Amino acid sequence: MAESLGTTGLILNEPLLWEKGKKGRSAFSLPRRDVESTPLDEELTGDGPDFPDLSEIDVVRHYTRLSQWNFCVDAGMYPLGSCTMKYNPKINEKYAALKGFAGAHPMLPPALSQGTLRLMFEMERLLAEITGMDAVTLQPAAGAQGELAGMLLIHAYQQSKDMDRSKIIVPDTAHGTNPASAALCGYRPVPVKSNQNGILSLEAVYEVMDEDTAGIMITNPNTLGLFEENIKAITELVHSKGGQVYCDGANMNAIMGMVHMGQTGIDVLHLNLHKTFSAPHGGGGPGSGPVCVRRHLEPFLPVPRIIEENGNFTFSEDFSDSIGKLHAFYGNFGVIIKAYSYIRAMGPQGLKKASQLAVLNANYVMEQLKGVFHLPYEKPCMHECVFSDKFQRAGKVTTLDMAKRLMDFGFHPPTIYFPLIVDGAIMIEPTETESREEIDLFIEACKTVADEAEKDPDLIRNSPQKCKVKRMDETAAARRPCLAG
Amino acid sequence: MRYLPHTDEDIASMLRVVGADTLDDLFSTIPDDCRRPRDLDIPSALTEWELNDLMDALSNSVAAPPEYKLFLGAGRYDHFIPASLTHLLGRSEFVTPYTPYQPEMSQGTLQAIYEYQTLAARLLGMETSNASLYDGASALAEALLMAIRITRRKKVAVSSLIHPYYRRVVQTYLEPTGLKMVELPYLENGRTDLSRLDRIDDLAAVAVQSPNFFGCIEDLAAVGEKSREKDCLFVSSFTEPLAYGLLKNPGSQGADIACGEGQSLGIPKWFGGPGLGMFASKMKYVRSIPGRLVGKSTDKDGKNGFVLTLATREQHIRREKATSNICTNNSLCALAAAMYMASLGGTGIRELAKLNHDKSEYLKQALEEAGFKITFKSPTFNEFVVESPPNFETTYERLLEKKIVAGLPLTPYYPELTGKYLMCVTETKTKEEMDELVEELRN
């Protein structure tokens, strides 16, 4: 193998914030005091928080050093399955910081907020077209809140039809957040197994779908990276029993410009702007989880809705069937800007190409690693492929060990141990923004790791070797939680 | 397309490896009736330079500071953000990773969030804080759901002086499962009327906001006492955490959960989102907390480090019995808040909070002297309610033309408060600007 991408260099130790600083330092240019001090009732005043006093250079060095302990998309390939860690275009950051956007106050009269309203209105239309759905809300703050919104919409719709149902079907190939989102809405998740080809069969849904079941939460493409080929028949079946179909669209990156989600028969779909539409993941958010619906669910969408009147945009609360509000204001506008910019920069051909290349990259990885790792479902995949550690387990090397070893080669590990239906799962999503050369290096690293698993298992079990810390003890952390200093 | 690295040659050779002739062939598993009949009907791709013009035009049509003087808060506050913070927060190493599932290559985010949890807990006077939630509204909803889980009761009492939008979000979260929210009325002095609690039993929690929506500082100690009497949890909500640089914090007043919006701590207004859902509680409830938690641990050589912890509460392990469904939170916003609190320091946050209070008092007094009535007599932090003279709407409009936003009309939120305005003064307003506002109002 050519020289590994992963190497070691000088990083610096850095203590905790409060172990630094000296009383009287400041990193903040306090505004001039141009008014007298007015006393406040002593009953109400406290001592103020015990924060360290730091100078600007203290703060800058602190966070610069910390940042250098992180791996990120801008540094290298981050094939975390299900998370779509694609490149985050830099121009989008500039737009989100524009004074008119960053400084926009949500309580201003609409006449003074036309630019923000227009952008959101247009974004709704763009997402409706991309998904093939009829109406969109941008309010949910992330995917899981989008799922909750979807459940609430189905609940409200069925209540309006005097249907009171207690269960919801959740296949074993659905996203991990689905059952918790359903439970928040009072539904009891009913598990259903995918078939030997990794997709849902009509028969399996038929077995569990009854008049007490509100519907199904289906992830398509699913968490095995496979398109649910029976989707249309399944939606027809669920509808025939009065149910609704919720589609988790977190994997939309595989099918833009290719699949018409509305036509698959689903009723509600959420998107993750921080996955499919290139907004950065921020070390765990903020995200944005718009929800797209078919016409019959539109009256139930969260308020306020943005409406257009003679070329002017305004908010309307005039939707009496609405599920209400989900966000303090209108959603994560700062994230929506970035996704809007991405869609406008890509255009229809660009989006389609992105999906095609995401699928090409995933199939390429699958083809090259077939035989290196065990591939439980051998068929063309969409945007991600799922392997397992079955071949390596004999030598007592696990998915976790191999994931940690991949770090030494300069790659973020894939998603591991998910989906649960694959024992020791290794879920790889390269995304379209990785070049062939980069992917070849990744494949090479995976092959080396598999080879080492056979020849030098201890090396793997003692990895990572090149990170700031060795393997962390997560069990001890949970046993005696220390969450603040 | 500059974001896509593949050359035609790359595509051709990769297709050969996977055994497909064309890119379309890769989609052979998709049934015909699920396919798009025609191409996406969205505008064609723009160059970076065309996009610049488009985004400039959109953003320029929004009234924003410094061109506009906003005497407007109501859950979103105009505060200065140091350039050093914006610079540090823009570092790719913070912006472009995801949730630190792999601690060995995420120690930067993990230590930074551990520090955020610590600073947030100290600010709020609580024992522990999570890594963030979406915003103040969902944080309040999650806090009430947590209290419901802990007490196994199905009813919560919520002050009518909690941000009206937050109460609506709580309603959305509670309604489908038949949980009940009772609203507590407010008193003439602008504080919550706690006497109503005497007539309500079986409460899971009492929630108030301080400073409340009218800007008034609530008597949190009294709420704490009352909630102990009712044997329920005391949830202390907030929209302006900077206040705790000056005021007694919720923890010291007996709050079981302190939750709210952290936008004031170094996050732009962004038309309302993203912000920062802050969530802190007593340590005894730690296993019921929603959201991610970062904890201290050691590596196999005994070296200190940090990991995501107590994952058994979370949705991907506990499925439908999880303490919440949240996965992606608002990590980068929590980092901004940590940087902001670190930049201010203990000394700085005190002075900045005082400055907000004093400037707000200055305007309050100036308005009173000019003949305006201050509606509520309770002490305030950086917001207060003022009564307008008749026909004030035209003055308000005239001021808008002068790029001054003279507060928020309260009628849509409290119909009984016709003609009353919620004013906000932060450190960003100078004495001259306040004098100008009063002068204009007098005319």
Side-chain angles (χ1 to χ4, degrees):
Chain A
M1 175 181 178
E3 195 185 2
S4 160
L5 198 57
T7 182
T8 53
L10 185 65
I11 55 166
L12 303 178
N13 280 315
E14 177 66 9
L16 291 159
L17 263 179
W18 46 91
E19 291 166 0
K20 302 180 63 165
K22 273 189 184 154
K23 190 96 191 135
R25 280 187 183 154
S26 173
F28 198 96
S29 173
L30 278 170
R32 205 174 308 286
R33 172 172 275 287
D34 52 6
V35 298
E36 296 285 305
S37 176
T38 318
L40 178 65
D41 186 352
E42 268 181 33
E43 286 281 293
L44 299 172
T45 51
D47 298 330
D50 176 18
F51 290 170
D53 282 357
L54 305 159
S55 64
E56 188 167 319
I57 181 87
D58 290 333
V59 174
V60 169
R61 290 241 168 100
H62 181 77
Y63 286 105
T64 302
R65 287 174 186 177
L66 258 54
S67 77
Q68 289 168 343
W69 306 344
N70 272 356
F71 186 83
C72 63
V73 174
D74 278 6
M77 186 168 162
Y78 207 126
L80 198 62
S82 234
C83 299
T84 315
M85 302 300 289
K86 63 169 75 176
Y87 167 67
N88 314 121
K90 301 307 150 204
I91 190 72
N92 300 349
E93 300 300 311
K94 180 182 130 178
Y95 298 144
L98 286 173
K99 162 170 81 60
F101 290 153
H105 196 291
M107 299 294 244
L108 278 180
L112 297 181
S113 311
Q114 285 301 295
T116 47
L117 290 169
R118 175 184 283 276
L119 188 149
M120 291 174 77
F121 186 85
E122 286 183 6
M123 186 64 168
E124 289 182 3
R125 297 325 309 151
L126 291 170
L127 296 178
E129 172 60 19
I130 291 166
T131 56
M133 303 295 278
D134 297 318
V136 178
T137 174
L138 302 175
Q139 227 180 87
Q145 209 184 26
E147 291 171 23
L148 172 62
M151 289 297 98
L152 292 166
L153 291 166
I154 291 175
H155 186 263
Y157 171 76
Q158 293 187 336
Q159 291 281 316
S160 78
K161 303 258 178 243
D162 286 327
M163 286 193 266
D164 200 10
R165 299 188 171 198
S166 70
K167 296 182 289 185
I168 191 121
I169 303 169
V170 183
D172 56 7
T173 48
H175 268 131
T177 38
N178 286 184
S181 300
L184 259 176
C185 202
Y187 291 126
R188 184 163 57 81
V190 177
V192 54
K193 284 190 166 48
S194 49
N195 66 17
Q196 71 278 9
N197 296 321
I199 59 170
L200 213 50
S201 70
L202 182 63
E203 293 71 31
V205 180
Y206 185 81
E207 295 261 304
V208 287
M209 182 64 211
D210 60 20
E211 312 276 305
D212 190 32
T213 302
I216 186 167
M217 294 184 92
I218 197 162
T219 301
N220 197 18
N222 69 24
T223 55
L224 290 168
L226 304 175
F227 192 83
E228 292 288 354
E229 293 167 38
N230 303 318
I231 182 74
K232 193 119 193 186
I234 291 169
T235 58
E236 278 162 16
L237 166 70
V238 171
H239 288 150
S240 74
K241 304 228 174 158
Q244 293 282 295
V245 180
Y246 172 84
C247 180
D248 182 314
N251 295 336
M252 190 73 197
N253 202 45
I255 51 177
M256 288 185 292
M258 304 296 299
V259 172
H260 191 285
M261 292 299 259
Q263 229 164 271
T264 65
I266 59 168
D267 301 292
V268 50
L269 166 84
H270 95 258
L271 299 168
N272 301 70
L273 298 187
H274 50 294
K275 295 180 180 180
T276 313
F277 300 100
S278 87
H281 285 65
S288 175
V291 166
C292 314
V293 295
R294 297 251 298 261
R295 195 62 72 200
H296 65 284
L297 292 177
E298 186 179 2
F300 303 94
L301 286 177
V303 281
R305 306 268 321 270
I306 301 165
I307 56 169
E308 187 184 4
E309 276 169 357
N310 310 320
N312 289 316
F313 299 92
T314 188
F315 283 121
S316 172
E317 292 270 354
D318 204 11
F319 297 89
S320 58
D321 290 330
S322 165
I323 58 167
K325 272 181 81 67
L326 271 170
H327 189 272
F329 295 101
Y330 325 114
N332 284 346
F333 178 70
V335 177
I336 294 165
I337 300 165
K338 299 176 193 181
Y340 175 84
S341 159
Y342 173 77
I343 293 171
R344 298 301 308 267
M346 296 293 278
Q349 299 310 324
L351 289 181
K352 184 174 176 180
K353 195 71 175 280
S355 285
Q356 289 176 326
L357 296 179
V359 173
L360 176 65
N361 280 355
N363 277 285
Y364 182 77
V365 168
M366 185 177 79
E367 198 55 40
Q368 301 278 25
L369 291 180
K370 216 189 262 182
V372 177
F373 301 124
H374 170 245
L375 182 67
Y377 298 92
E378 202 162 324
K379 61 188 284 197
C381 64
M382 298 260 88
H383 61 296
E384 63 195 2
C385 51
V386 181
F387 292 95
S388 89
D389 57 0
K390 196 173 172 185
F391 297 159
Q392 285 76 27
R393 245 176 277 155
K396 299 210 162 43
V397 169
T398 65
T399 287
L400 183 72
D401 296 326
M402 294 191 285
K404 300 296 184 194
R405 181 63 180 148
L406 265 175
M407 296 178 188
D408 289 333
F409 290 94
F411 295 98
H412 193 282
T415 292
I416 53 174
Y417 301 105
F418 190 82
L420 302 172
I421 40 168
V422 174
D423 202 14
I426 303 169
M427 186 196 216
I428 304 171
E429 181 180 12
T431 85
E432 73 281 7
T433 56
E434 294 306 323
S435 67
R436 179 177 178 173
E437 299 90 279
E438 205 72 27
I439 292 176
D440 282 341
L441 277 178
F442 173 74
I443 288 165
E444 201 51 44
C446 288
K447 286 180 176 169
T448 308
V449 170
D451 198 41
E452 288 173 350
E454 249 173 67
K455 293 178 183 146
D456 194 357
D458 275 345
L459 173 70
I460 302 223
R461 286 193 285 263
N462 287 321
S463 59
Q465 308 273 352
K466 294 180 180 172
C467 294
K468 179 173 184 289
V469 290
K470 295 283 173 60
R471 209 177 289 193
M472 289 299 300
D473 188 343
E474 301 190 32
T475 320
R479 208 174 300 132
R480 271 180 295 123
C482 170
L483 310 175
Chain B
M1 208 302 144
R2 61 193 176 281
Y3 307 152
L4 307 174
H6 299 64
T7 62
D8 289 344
E9 201 182 307
D10 290 335
I11 294 172
S13 66
M14 291 171 83
L15 281 172
R16 268 197 302 282
V17 171
V18 305
D21 291 333
T22 65
L23 285 170
D24 274 350
D25 286 353
L26 297 169
F27 294 79
S28 59
T29 59
I30 295 173
D32 283 345
D33 53 7
C34 296
R35 284 168 186 265
R36 254 185 189 281
R38 61 192 83 81
D39 283 343
L40 287 173
D41 182 17
I42 63 171
S44 40
L46 298 177
T47 65
E48 192 164 313
W49 328 115
E50 290 165 334
L51 206 47
N52 280 340
D53 292 343
L54 171 70
M55 297 303 250
D56 280 344
L58 284 171
S59 66
N60 285 337
S61 68
V62 180
E67 200 187 344
Y68 275 76
K69 305 294 169 205
L70 310 182
F71 291 90
L72 182 60
R76 217 65 188 168
Y77 300 94
D78 200 19
H79 290 297
F80 286 126
I81 299 175
S84 52
L85 189 157
T86 310
H87 175 84
L88 288 169
L89 199 68
R91 287 188 69 94
S92 288
E93 300 91 333
F94 289 132
V95 176
T96 73
Y98 195 26
T99 306
Y101 295 120
Q102 298 290 348
E104 297 82 4
M105 54 185 2
S106 317
Q107 282 299 303
T109 293
L110 286 164
Q111 179 169 328
I113 297 301
Y114 176 81
E115 290 171 346
Y116 161 77
Q117 290 175 181
T118 304
L119 297 180
R122 289 185 187 183
L123 180 67
L124 301 172
M126 304 300 290
E127 289 166 333
T128 187
S129 155
N130 78 3
S132 77
L133 296 172
Y134 306 132
D135 64 4
S138 62
L140 177 61
E142 294 274 13
L144 295 171
L145 288 173
M146 174 169 150
I148 286 164
R149 281 195 305 276
I150 290 171
T151 60
R152 296 171 193 273
R153 297 183 198 142
K154 291 182 181 309
K155 201 176 357 169
V156 292
V158 171
S159 161
S160 55
L161 298 183
I162 284 185
H163 197 296
Y165 289 171
Y166 288 20
R167 280 179 281 134
R168 289 177 63 187
V169 171
V170 168
Q171 191 62 38
T172 308
Y173 271 75
L174 296 188
E175 204 169 65
T177 42
L179 302 167
K180 215 172 152 214
M181 175 172 89
V182 187
E183 289 203 3
L184 303 174
Y186 61 89
L187 300 164
E188 254 176 44
N189 65 6
R191 281 178 172 173
T192 305
D193 181 1
L194 297 172
S195 68
R196 181 63 63 92
L197 285 168
D198 296 335
R199 282 179 272 153
I200 315 171
D201 286 324
D202 278 336
L203 277 178
V206 178
V208 298
Q209 174 186 315
S210 184
N212 64 33
F213 192 70
F214 295 160
C216 297
I217 302 161
E218 292 276 4
D219 183 356
L220 292 183
V223 186
E225 213 167 285
K226 205 82 189 171
S227 60
R228 279 190 298 279
E229 218 174 273
K230 309 293 295 181
D231 193 27
C232 67
L233 270 70
F234 167 19
V235 175
S236 197
S237 172
F238 55 87
T239 57
E240 178 47 294
L242 187 64
Y244 299 120
L246 181 59
L247 306 182
K248 280 184 175 152
N249 59 49
S252 68
Q253 306 303 290
D256 294 291
I257 300 172
C259 60
E261 175 58 56
Q263 176 267 327
S264 276
L265 307 174
I267 300 161
K269 291 185 288 299
W270 268 328
F271 207 45
L276 168 65
M278 298 180 77
F279 194 101
S281 90
K282 288 183 174 164
M283 196 63 189
K284 67 174 173 182
Y285 299 126
V286 70
R287 283 172 204 273
S288 302
I289 288 182
R292 308 268 187 208
L293 295 166
V294 174
K296 213 171 179 172
S297 190
T298 49
D299 73 359
K300 64 192 289 270
D301 292 346
K303 192 171 159 188
N304 283 334
F306 301 91
V307 295
L308 287 175
T309 194
L310 296 177
T312 47
R313 301 163 300 115
E314 291 185 45
Q315 28 73 27
H316 57 286
I317 294 182
R318 224 154 167 243
R319 314 285 285 179
E320 69 267 25
K321 292 200 170 57
T323 56
S324 162
N325 71 334
I326 191 167
C327 180
T328 290
N329 54 22
N330 279 29
S331 193
L332 198 65
C333 301
L335 181 58
M339 288 175 177
Y340 185 84
M341 292 187 273
S343 298
L344 274 175
T347 311
I349 196 168
R350 184 90 181 161
E351 178 55 21
L352 189 64
K354 271 190 71 55
L355 208 48
N356 272 256
H357 170 260
D358 294 344
K359 285 188 181 241
S360 163
E361 287 300 307
Y362 176 84
L363 181 64
K364 199 197 264 183
Q365 276 168 26
L367 285 170
E368 265 191 311
E369 279 161 22
F372 291 83
K373 195 167 164 258
I374 303 302
T375 313
F376 302 110
K377 294 295 168 236
S378 294
T380 58
F381 177 61
N382 65 5
E383 287 184 281
F384 58 89
V385 178
V386 64
E387 289 185 33
S388 65
N391 305 322
F392 180 72
E393 290 77 7
T394 48
T395 314
Y396 190 82
E397 292 297 324
R398 181 170 53 80
L399 286 177
L400 285 183
E401 279 164 31
K402 296 199 161 198
K403 303 190 172 173
I404 298 172
V405 181
L408 178 80
L410 284 176
T411 324
Y413 313 99
Y414 299 86
E416 70 279 14
L417 297 182
T418 311
K420 303 194 172 51
Y421 286 72
L422 179 65
M423 304 291 286
C424 176
V425 185
T426 67
E427 78 281 2
T428 60
K429 300 295 166 293
T430 63
K431 180 171 173 292
E432 288 73 44
E433 288 163 356
M434 292 190 274
D435 289 342
E436 188 196 351
L437 172 69
V438 176
E439 200 48 46
E440 289 287 345
L441 291 177
R442 219 197 289 259
N443 291 337

